[in-house]
Structures are given as structure tokens and as C-alpha cells.
């Protein structure tokens, strides 16, 4: 919980805070996917990770699995939506290389909520009556509601060793700021993690700025392990206000994911062959032009019209103010 | 659909049928693709106050264009609330949400769905599918679950390989006994062949109307379980001009869901036939037929090509398969048993030109796809050109 400057390179963040065999909360949904961190974990050839995630549609988990970093996934859905199949995960699963524990999206967010609340499980009215709960007894059980006696599913709390997330802004201390629709409530997975959070952010801002609009803080600094300034850190997924989904790149990457022979070439060219995320972006611009990235930027602004003022109140105004009294209430 | 002045494709029909199921001022959690097009169409026709929720967190946005994914940035436009998946699901759990749309690799007669695997053993499946995603939760928690799906006997399965998402489970009372809220459950299925609901007594799937040109036998043949039918059995109402106009011009002008077949391509096909006809008039029959049969000739345009039939159904020239020339196609039937060449001849002889739709196996994917052919008669020759629906259209149906 130390107050210190936690800014560091993505390389240092991953090598210091992600250990082989860790369980990892993998943030994002189909937006805010921590892709730069995904690439760095692959680059550092981390092993035997257990992944907690609801759903990811840009193939980030496919890459992680294909690179041999993962031994176990707990999730609701996995696919590169833009090629319509979970190719690498499917191959690894069918070859017996990874274990897969199926959840539903709400089941998964409920498991994260339980971790966030710091309690062992939370009831959720889903998964009941299906084969999901029959097969994944590690994460789900059906119990009797102690009040009504009716049956209800409970989701075991997911508390990962470490969380990896992407956000719009963070300050050097590790206060994380995000806005817009975010897919999954990343703070559940982040705050519920045992050791803390690695965050990549589009921009680093002063703590004073965070304190000026604290409604948007999703993770306070004391839960943060490392802050990495990383523009385009969720690419090819979207980051609200900065860039939209790179559909063409998802399709391009997906065509590699399809083929067990081609996918290592993607890993070589786009991940192992790039020193860091900047190098990845340089390669992108080389191959697909600056306009490839420009196309992803918002066409126009979408700024709040709501005039927000939290107001400052000085307790000193009560100094010397006598107690209110009347004929019943005496001072 | 043959010979009608208003041309529409199967995707357009299904979107229109789906949109009509959504009542005004209700709430719906919607994915992408056809269901979203249906919701946006409903908002522009009978249900302007339909409230759309996206699983990624947007509540009641003012959608200007069809988003590509539930997390697409444009799903946020003009929204009343930005949240995330659990907030949306919690709303469903409280009973706030009326409708949801799902799809699946398999559906059984009680509307249960499988999106997890094909095979018999989960640890060693034939094909591992993406999993539940939000499907299980939405079908567990929303009041009415709608499904949009292609209709074939593998998909409409007697027994699911894996029950991912609950329908009526094993029949009347089973949802309640399992612990799901009374009054929730499957509502409608919009397939490529028919509109289905569920028999209130048995909770079994029941055809409520057949799409135009579809027979009861076809549905029976393409369903792996015993399908029920209402009696009398009506035909699904075709899209109105207004629905088509809204769908093509406002909801999906890019053709992302309704396919390029719905807007641009038929025009291109018609133009190609007109060009071929003009060439015939200018150069004479013999030269024209030779040109039609030239694989890289002037009438071979990307996926489009022309072929010519005589009035007895003999293939005079074929743009991509020279072996067809000289063969008699009169009795050729499509994969649903429809003698479509005979239909082409009948319409050409009586009306001069028209469209005929039929089902054909795509040469590459081996999937049954809808094909449309436009034709025009000149002298004793019928010049034809057809198009398959885009591959993506079928994918859109596959996975929501």
C-alpha cells in the first residue's frame, strides 16, 4: 500500500509482478482488453497461468494460449468474433493442453463480485438446470436458499493472484480512471485480486486531476502494483474516447489464429519480434499505414454537457453558530 | 417470392418477422447482427419506445447505425446510462428486461440451446464451441427469449450434445422446479423456414406460420424432433414496402446484416442481364452465347456470371461450368425439392422476366444457401444471372 511512483516499463511490470503459475484476472470484455500486457506476458514466456475472465472477443486469450502461457481457463466464452471461432483455445483444449472451466457471463461477473466483496460465494439466478453447472463444480454449486428453501446457484469467489487491466488514465501513484461502457466491471476483478493490479493507461495524469473528479476512479492507488503509460494498449480492442475496435486487424490476426501452422508466425512477427508495444505499433504503421490507426480515432467528440460541481464545504462555517432551539428544544 | 415486383431476401424477411415480435415500450437485451437490426427496425416502425440494453453496458442508446459488436463504441451514442455487464445482467435478474435474442448450434423442442460443444464427451468433444457467454443468463432471467437460426435437422436436434442455455428444460414446470423465475422462458423462434412459438400446454415448439414458399413437409424434413403445427397454418406476412425501406435505407444501408444481396447486388445482377441482353441484340445469338460461356469474358464479374437456357430447359451457355452446356435442366430441383428451372421457364414465358429463389449448396462451404436468379427472355433464349447470399449472412445467423 505504499505511496510511491509506480510508473515503469511494461517489461518491468510483467517481470516483477506476474509469476509462473499465477492466477490472473484478465480484464476487459470486447473493449479495454489488456492487449499490450497480453503481448508482454507472451514475450516473457510466462507459464502455467490460470485465467479468470468473462468473455474476450479479440483473440487475446487465443494468443496467450497459443504461446503456451496458460494451463487453465475459467471463462464464459472465448472467441475471436471477427473470424467466428475460438481456434487456438479450441485446439489446445481438444489436444488436452489446457483445462477449461465453463461459466456464463453473469456467473463470471458474480464470481468477481464475490471476490470484490471478500466473501466466499454469491448467489446468482442462472446456470441452474443446465450442463454448465453439472460440469463446472469447481466454480458453481446449487444450494438451498436458507430463507425460502428454493434452489439457487452460487458462484465461488474468483480472487486472482494478480489483475491486468487497461484504462484511459492513471496517475503515477496508481489511481486508475476510466469511463464509458466498459464491458466488465474491471474493479471487481482488480480489487478482488490478492496481490494487486497492473494497469496500462493511455495517459498519465497528475494525482491532483484524479482528486478533482473522483467519481471516475475505479481503482485507488493502494491496490495498484504498477502503472504503465501505454497508448493504444488495448489495440485491437477499443478504448472509449481514444480509439474504436480495429476490425480489420482482428480479422487479420484471426486468419493466423485459424491455422496452427500460421499462428506461430504471428507470434514471431508481432510479439516476439517486437521489443515492446511501441515496436508493435511501429510495425503496424509500416504495414498498414498511419491511416490504419487514424481510422480508429473518434470521428467527433462526445463530451458531457452536464455541468458537474462537487462543491466545497468548509466546516469552519459552524464555528460560533449557536445550537438551534425553540420552546421544546433547549440548547 | 417468385415473380413479384418487390424483391426481398430471406435475411430481410427474418429481420422483419423478428422486429414484429417486439412490442412498444418494452425492454430488450440485444446482441449484434440480425436481432439488433430487428430491434432498430422495430424502433422505426411499430415500437418507437422499445428500450435496448447492450450486454457491454449501454442502456437506451440512440443508435444511428448498426453497431458491429455489443462493445462497439457507437453503442454508447446518446445512451441514458453507461454501465457494464453485471449491471445489465442484474437488471435482467430483477425482472426488468422483457426480451432477449439468442442463437445456437443446437436447439431442442423445449427451446434449450447448445453453444458449448458438438460431441458426447465435454473433455473430448468433436468441436469445442465458444461457450455460454451471456446466453445462459439472458435466457434464465429475461421474460421472453427469442431465437434466430437457420433451420436444418442437425440444428433442430432431438437431443442436445450439451445444455448450455435453458429453454423449458424437460417440459411444463421444469424451469420453476429447477429454480428459475415462473413466467420466464422461450417465446419465439424465427428460422429460415418458419416462425415458431411454444404450445402453452406442452411447452413444445410449434410452427405458427410458414415463410412464403415453404411447405410443412420441408419443416418436418429439416427438424430433428417432432414439430407441432398450429391449425390452420398461415403464411408468414411478407415485408412491407415501408419495412424494407427503413431496413435498407436507415437501419442497414451497408448491408452488414441483410447482405449486399438485399440492396446493391440484385441491381447489379439485373444490370448484368441487361448488358448481356444488349450484347445479344447487337452481336446475335451465336456470338453472345460464346461470350457468355467465356470464363473470363466480359460477363464474368467477380462472383457474378451469366448463363442462358432455351425454352425447354437446355443449358445453352454457362459462365463458369462449360460442362453444363447442352444438358437439360428442366427437372433439376433445389435442395428443398423445388423445380426452380421449370419455374424460371414458366415465368419467362408468361412475364418475360423475373426473379426465382432456390436453395443450393455453396460449392465451397457445402452449406445450403439461398440463391436468387434474375432472368429475361429474348427470342427463344432466357438470359439468367444469380447470386449466393454473402457468407457473412449465414455467420450472422450462427452466433449472436
Amino acid at each position: 500500500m505504499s505511496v510511491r511512483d509506480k510508473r515503469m516499463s511494461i517489461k518491468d511490470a510483467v517481470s516483477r509482478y506476474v509469476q509462473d503459475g499465477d492466477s490472473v484476472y484478465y480484464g476487459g470484455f470486447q473493449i479495454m482488453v489488456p492487449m499490450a500486457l497480453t503481448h508482454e506476458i507472451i514475450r516473457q514466456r510466462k507459464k502455467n497461468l490460470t485465467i479468470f475472465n468473462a468473455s474476450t472477443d479479440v483473440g487475446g486469450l487465443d494468443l496467450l494460449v497459443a504461446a503456451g502461457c496458460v494451463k487453465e481457463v475459467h471463462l464464459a466464452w472465448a472467441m475471436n468474433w471477427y473470424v467466428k471461432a475460438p481456434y487456438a483455445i479450441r485446439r489446445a483444449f481438444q489436444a488436452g493442453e489446457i483445462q477449461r472451466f465453463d461459466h456464463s457471463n453473469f456467473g463470471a461477473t458474480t464470481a468477481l463480485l464475490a471476490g470484490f466483496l471478500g466473501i466466499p460465494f454469491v448467489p446468482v439466478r442462472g446456470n441452474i438446470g443446465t450442463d454448465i453447472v453439472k460440469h463446472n463444480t469447481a466454480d458453481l454449486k446449487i444450494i438451498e436458499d436458507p430463507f425460502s428453501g428454493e434452489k439457487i446457484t452460487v458462484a465461488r469467489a474468483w480472487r486472482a493472484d494478480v489483475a491486468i487491466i487497461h484504462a484511459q488514465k492513471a496517475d503515477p501513484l496508481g489511481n486508475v480512471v476510466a469511463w464509458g461502457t466498459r464491458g466488465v466491471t474491471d474493479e471487481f476483478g482488480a480489487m478482488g485480486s490478492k496481490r494487486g493490479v497492473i494497469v496500462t493507461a493511455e495517459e498519465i495524469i497528475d494525482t491532483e486531476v484524479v482528486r478533482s473528479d473522483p467519481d471516475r476512479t475505479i481503482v485507488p492507488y493502494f491496490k495498484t502494483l504498477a502503472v504503465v503509460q501505454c497508448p493504444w494498449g488495448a489495440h485491437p480492442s477499443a478504448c472509449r474516447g481514444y480509439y474504436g475496435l480495429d476490425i480489420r486487424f482482428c480479422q487479420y490476426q484471426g486468419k493466423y489464429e485459424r491455422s496452427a501452422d500460421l499462428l506461430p508466425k504471428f507470434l514471431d512477427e508481432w510479439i516476439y519480434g517486437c521489443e515492446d508495444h511501441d515496436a508493435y505499433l511501429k510495425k503496424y504503421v509500416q504495414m498498414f499505414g498511419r491511416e490504419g490507426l487514424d481510422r480508429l480515432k473518434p470521428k467527433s467528440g462526445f463530451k458531457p454537457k452536464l455541468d458537474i460541481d462537487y462543491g466545497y464545504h468548509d466546516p469552519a462555517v459552524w464555528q460560533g453558530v449557536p445550537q438551534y432551539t425553540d420552546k421544546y428544544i433547549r440548547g | 417470392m417468385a415473380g413479384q415486383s418487390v424483391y426481398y431476401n430471406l435475411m430481410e424477411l427474418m429481420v422483419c418477422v423478428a422486429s414484429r415480435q417486439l412490442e412498444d415500450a418494452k425492454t430488450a437485451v440485444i446482441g449484434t447482427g440480425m436481432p439488433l437490426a430487428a430491434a432498430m427496425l422495430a424502433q422505426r416502425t411499430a415500437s418507437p419506445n422499445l428500450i435496448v440494453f447492450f450486454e457491454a453496458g449501454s442502456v437506451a442508446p440512440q443508435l444511428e447505425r448498426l453497431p458491429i459488436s455489443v462493445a462497439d463504441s457507437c453503442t454508447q451514442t446518446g445512451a441514458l446510462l453507461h454501465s457494464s455487464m453485471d449491471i445489465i445482467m442484474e437488471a435482467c435478474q430483477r425482472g426488468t428486461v422483457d426480451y432477449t435474442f439468442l442463437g445456437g448450434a443446437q436447439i431442442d423442442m423445449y427451446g434449450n440451446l447448445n453453444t458449448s460443444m458438438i460431441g458426447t464427451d465435454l473433455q473430448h468433444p468433436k468441436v469445442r464451441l465458444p461457450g455460454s457467454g451471456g446466453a445462459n443468463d439472458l435466457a434464465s432471467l429475461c421474460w421472453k427469449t427469442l431465437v434466430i437460426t437457420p433451420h436444418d435437422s442437425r440444428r433442430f436436434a432431438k437431443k442436445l450434445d450439451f445444455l448450455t442455455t435453458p429453454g423449458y428444460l424437460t417440459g411444463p414446470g421444469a424451469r420453476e422446479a429447477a429454480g428459475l423465475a415462473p413466467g420466464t422462458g422461450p417465446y419465439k423462434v424465427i428460422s429460415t423456414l418458419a416462425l415458431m412459438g411454444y404450445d402453452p400446454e406442452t411447452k413444445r415448439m410449434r410452427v405458427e406460420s410458414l415463410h412464403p414458399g415453404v411447405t410443412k413437409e420441408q419443416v418436418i424434413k429439416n427438424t430433428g424432433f417432432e414439430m407441432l403445427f398450429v391449425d390452420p397454418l398461415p403464411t408468414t406476412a411478407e415485408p412491407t414496402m415501408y419495412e424494407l425501406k427503413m431496413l435498407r435505407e436507415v437501419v442497414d444501408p451497408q448491408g452488414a446484416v441483410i447482405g449486399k444481396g438485399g440492396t446493391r447486388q440484385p441491381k447489379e445482377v439485373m444490370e448484368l442481364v441487361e448488358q448481356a441482353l444488349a450484347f445479344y441484340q447487337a452481336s446475335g445469338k451465336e456470338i453472345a452465347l460464346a461470350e457468355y460461356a467465356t470464363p473470363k469474358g466480359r460477363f464474368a464479374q467477380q462472383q457474378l456470371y451469366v448463363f442462358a437456357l432455351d425454352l425447354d430447359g437446355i443449358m445453352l451457355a454457362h459462365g463458369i461450368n462449360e460442362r453444363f452446356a447442352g444438358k437439360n435442366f428442366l427437372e433439376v430441383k433445389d435442395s428443398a425439392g423445388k423445380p426452380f428451372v421449370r419455374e424460371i421457364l414458366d415465368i419467362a414465358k408468361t412475364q418475360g422476366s423475373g426473379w426465382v429463389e432456390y436453395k443450393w449448396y455453396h460449392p465451397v462451404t457445402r452449406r445450403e444457401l439461398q440463391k436468387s436468379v434474375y432472368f429475361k427472355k429474348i427470342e427463344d433464349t432466357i438470359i439468367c444471372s444469380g447470386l449466393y447470399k454473402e457468407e457473412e449472412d449465414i455467420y450472422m445467423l450462427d452466433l449472436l
Side-chain angles (χ1 to χ4, degrees):
Chain A
M1 298 210 182
S2 60
V3 186
R4 59 182 162 83
D5 189 338
K6 290 170 189 158
R7 284 176 294 174
M8 61 186 80
S9 69
I10 197 161
K11 195 172 172 180
D12 288 346
V14 169
S15 70
R16 277 187 215 169
Y17 297 113
V18 180
Q19 313 302 331
D20 287 351
D22 270 355
S23 58
V24 178
Y25 168 66
Y26 190 87
F29 173 42
Q30 312 185 344
I31 31 177
M32 303 298 224
V33 181
M35 288 303 286
L37 283 164
T38 305
H39 287 186
E40 187 56 33
I41 289 171
I42 292 171
R43 241 176 246 126
Q44 295 192 20
R45 299 176 196 270
K46 297 289 179 187
K47 292 271 173 273
N48 296 321
L49 302 178
T50 292
I51 302 293
F52 293 124
N53 172 254
S55 299
T56 300
D57 84 335
V58 296
L61 290 178
D62 238 16
L63 299 180
L64 215 52
V65 166
C69 304
V70 178
K71 71 159 193 236
E72 198 173 305
V73 291
H74 295 249
L75 42 70
W77 188 86
M79 178 158 90
N80 181 328
W81 171 262
Y82 309 93
V83 289
K84 307 297 180 199
Y87 291 102
I89 291 180
R90 174 185 290 171
R91 281 193 296 270
F93 178 78
Q94 294 186 182
E97 291 160 9
I98 57 165
Q99 276 197 294
R100 176 170 170 161
F101 296 84
D102 268 73
H103 232 291
S104 64
N105 276 349
F106 192 26
T109 58
T110 303
L112 295 169
L113 173 65
F116 176 76
L117 296 176
I119 54 173
F121 59 84
V122 164
V124 56
R125 199 176 293 286
N127 290 306
I128 210 158
T130 69
D131 289 336
I132 296 177
V133 74
K134 206 184 288 172
H135 286 275
N136 185 4
T137 49
D139 288 315
L140 293 159
K141 289 266 191 325
I142 290 172
I143 63 162
E144 195 177 274
D145 171 347
F147 300 102
S148 72
E150 286 173 12
K151 282 188 268 180
I152 185 91
T153 313
V154 289
R156 168 181 75 101
W158 280 353
R159 298 202 68 168
D161 293 317
V162 63
I164 58 169
I165 65 169
H166 183 75
Q168 283 106 333
K169 295 180 199 259
D171 71 7
L173 304 179
N175 292 302
V176 181
V177 173
W179 62 87
T181 58
R182 293 190 283 123
V184 168
T185 309
D186 269 343
E187 50 269 44
F188 290 174
M191 299 303 284
S193 66
K194 292 177 195 159
R195 293 205 302 266
V197 189
I198 304 173
V199 59
T200 52
E202 293 295 319
E203 289 181 77
I204 303 295
I205 52 171
D206 289 341
T207 304
E208 193 187 317
V209 179
V210 178
R211 291 186 188 278
S212 77
D213 194 5
D215 273 19
R216 274 176 246 284
T217 307
I218 65 162
V219 179
Y221 76 90
F222 49 81
K223 198 67 202 181
T224 304
L225 298 167
V227 177
V228 180
Q229 180 169 16
C230 189
W232 302 92
H235 179 271
S237 82
C239 181
R240 300 292 188 237
Y242 290 83
Y243 43 91
L245 192 69
D246 193 342
I247 292 152
R248 281 289 174 274
F249 193 82
C250 289
Q251 290 168 327
Y252 168 80
Q253 179 187 305
K255 285 170 191 164
Y256 280 97
E257 287 172 47
R258 258 185 204 163
S259 151
D261 297 331
L262 277 180
L263 191 47
K265 296 189 201 306
F266 183 89
L267 300 180
D268 282 343
E269 300 254 331
W270 287 92
I271 301 177
Y272 299 125
C274 295
E275 201 194 337
D276 54 19
H277 202 61
D278 278 347
Y280 162 88
L281 290 171
K282 269 195 202 105
K283 182 177 171 63
Y284 184 101
V285 171
Q286 249 171 26
M287 299 237 352
F288 306 117
R290 187 75 224 171
E291 64 272 23
L293 292 179
D294 287 344
R295 198 178 290 120
L296 307 177
K297 291 180 182 167
K299 202 172 133 198
S300 59
F302 177 7
K303 286 204 169 193
K305 288 181 186 147
L306 199 61
D307 185 16
I308 302 273
D309 192 332
Y310 294 98
Y312 173 71
H313 293 272
D314 187 354
V317 299
W318 298 106
Q319 261 174 30
V321 179
Q323 293 292 326
Y324 292 172
T325 58
D326 63 15
K327 57 185 172 180
Y328 304 112
I329 303 294
R330 306 270 161 90
Chain B
M1 291 172 231
Q4 278 173 6
S5 55
V6 183
Y7 172 90
Y8 61 88
N9 68 28
L10 187 58
M11 304 297 142
E12 290 170 325
L13 175 71
M14 290 170 76
V15 171
C16 290
V17 172
S19 80
R20 294 173 199 151
Q21 313 306 317
L22 305 173
E23 282 179 42
D24 197 21
K26 299 273 188 185
T27 48
V29 173
I30 305 273
T32 40
M34 290 182 82
L36 186 52
M40 288 176 69
L41 181 61
Q43 286 176 330
R44 280 156 185 84
T45 50
S47 307
N49 302 304
L50 178 74
I51 298 166
V52 172
F53 289 56
F54 285 98
E55 207 184 347
S58 185
V59 176
Q62 296 165 319
L63 297 170
E64 284 168 16
R65 66 170 184 84
L66 201 63
I68 292 159
S69 98
V70 286
D72 204 343
S73 298
C74 70
T75 59
Q76 297 193 124
T77 312
L80 292 178
L81 173 65
H82 283 170
S83 66
S84 46
M85 186 194 288
D86 43 303
I87 305 290
I88 301 298
M89 292 297 190
E90 282 148 17
C92 298
Q93 190 163 254
R94 288 191 301 268
T96 305
V97 179
D98 296 296
Y99 304 112
T100 191
F101 274 99
L102 300 172
Q106 291 179 324
I107 184 166
D108 71 12
M109 67 178 177
Y110 294 117
N112 302 306
L113 291 161
N114 171 18
T115 52
S116 295
M117 65 139 188
I118 300 296
T120 50
D121 174 4
L122 180 64
Q123 292 312 316
H124 304 94
K126 240 191 266 173
V127 186
R128 179 63 229 215
L129 300 170
S132 160
N136 172 288
D137 312 301
L138 294 169
S140 296
L141 307 172
C142 297
W143 292 105
K144 292 174 170 165
T145 300
L146 296 95
V147 168
I148 300 189
T149 175
H151 203 136
D152 61 60
S153 55
R154 270 182 316 138
R155 213 173 273 265
F156 283 66
K158 188 156 191 167
K159 190 174 179 325
L160 302 184
D161 290 352
F162 189 98
L163 201 167
T164 314
T165 296
Y168 287 112
L169 296 173
T170 53
R175 275 180 78 91
E176 294 79 357
L180 294 166
T184 59
Y187 180 50
K188 302 284 178 188
V189 179
I190 298 114
S191 82
T192 44
L193 298 178
L195 168 66
M196 282 141 285
Y198 292 84
D199 177 56
E201 297 297 313
T202 62
K203 302 294 183 193
R204 282 176 52 187
M205 201 186 292
R206 181 173 73 170
V207 173
E208 293 179 350
S209 71
L210 295 172
H211 296 342
V214 174
T215 63
K216 201 170 159 178
E217 288 65 39
Q218 233 174 301
V219 172
I220 293 169
K221 205 183 121 205
N222 286 287
T223 305
F225 51 83
E226 192 201 334
M227 181 69 90
L228 305 178
F229 295 85
V230 296
D231 184 27
L233 185 56
T235 300
T236 307
E238 298 191 27
T240 65
M241 288 296 285
Y242 186 73
E243 283 173 328
L244 287 174
K245 187 178 159 62
M246 284 293 132
L247 186 53
R248 291 169 183 176
E249 293 174 18
V250 181
V251 174
D252 188 19
Q254 313 283 327
V257 166
I258 57 178
K260 287 158 187 105
T263 48
R264 286 200 299 279
Q265 281 199 19
K267 238 183 268 171
E268 289 170 27
V269 170
M270 291 169 83
E271 274 163 21
L272 187 65
V273 169
E274 290 300 334
Q275 285 166 20
L277 192 107
F279 186 76
Y280 183 107
Q281 286 167 326
S283 326
K285 181 174 177 178
E286 204 175 324
I287 292 173
L289 291 180
E291 186 62 36
Y292 300 162
T294 306
K296 286 189 178 155
R298 71 176 77 191
F299 299 112
Q301 301 178 353
Q302 291 167 359
Q303 294 119 335
L304 299 183
Y305 62 91
V306 297
F307 59 97
L309 295 162
D310 77 4
L311 299 181
D312 298 318
I314 308 282
M315 187 69 73
L316 298 172
H318 193 278
I320 52 170
N321 197 335
E322 59 180 27
R323 283 175 306 160
F324 287 168
K327 298 220 165 94
N328 189 335
F329 280 74
L330 185 63
E331 297 305 332
V332 171
K333 294 188 173 71
D334 78 354
S335 46
K338 175 172 161 175
F340 65 96
V341 176
R342 191 178 278 279
E343 204 167 292
I344 291 173
L345 298 184
D346 288 347
I347 295 169
K349 284 177 200 167
T350 54
Q351 298 171 29
S353 68
W355 284 95
V356 163
E357 297 213 347
Y358 58 101
K359 293 191 171 65
W360 208 244
Y361 281 94
H362 191 279
V364 179
T365 62
R366 303 304 303 163
R367 300 186 68 151
E368 192 184 71
L369 295 181
Q370 192 85 3
K371 198 171 179 182
S372 310
V373 62
Y374 178 73
F375 48 90
K376 199 159 184 179
K377 184 170 95 71
I378 176 165
E379 298 167 356
D380 56 356
T381 302
I382 304 166
I383 302 168
C384 316
S385 181
L387 57 112
Y388 283 105
K389 293 290 164 283
E390 292 286 296
E391 194 83 11
E392 274 78 1
D393 295 356
I394 297 296
Y395 279 136
M396 283 294 185
L397 283 167
D398 259 357
L399 300 152
L400 302 173

